[in-house]
Amino acid sequence: TLFPYTTLFRSASLGFVALEPNYYNRLLTCPVKALDYLGHGLPTLATDLPSVRDIFGKSAAAVWLPTADDPDAFVRAALALLDDPAAYARAARAAHARAVELSWENRARRLVEFVASTASGRAARN
């Protein structure tokens, strides 16, 4: 049997993150599936909520849907992306770049830089 993520990588063309616009989904959740999609370089159709935007940042990896429950908007967005190879390639490259940006290695590097800058600032004040 294939590892599930290998199956996702081999068989998916788009990610889909559809969250209802309630308080929890807007501000308190981390849609982990979005991270999976980024990790596989998949462009993603996603509802436009702050928590989802935090994952994708300013990248062009996501196509923003107005609501989670509009199948016509989903179909239009999916077809627009899948029928435009150049747009799809740009979104896939943006997904990969965002995944690298969010990688544990880069997160650890930023934490070390933060701690070092805090420690050097404290030393300068003393």
Side-chain angles (χ1 to χ4, degrees), residues 34-122:
L35 295 169
D36 290 340
Y37 298 145
L38 287 173
H40 290 308
L42 287 174
T44 301
L45 305 178
T47 48
D48 191 1
L49 298 174
S51 61
V52 181
R53 280 207 178 264
D54 285 347
I55 299 289
F56 289 99
K58 295 179 180 174
S59 79
V63 173
W64 301 106
L65 300 171
T67 66
D69 61 353
D70 185 347
D72 292 332
F74 169 81
V75 169
R76 282 191 305 275
L79 289 176
L81 194 56
L82 294 171
D83 286 345
D84 185 343
Y88 185 90
R90 280 190 304 276
R93 283 191 303 273
H96 176 73
R98 182 65 175 158
V100 169
E101 188 179 329
L102 294 173
S103 71
W104 284 110
E105 181 180 340
N106 283 333
R107 292 179 70 182
R109 182 179 305 109
R110 287 192 302 269
L111 284 169
V112 168
E113 290 168 358
F114 171 75
V115 169
S117 69
T118 302
S120 66
R122 188 175 312 127

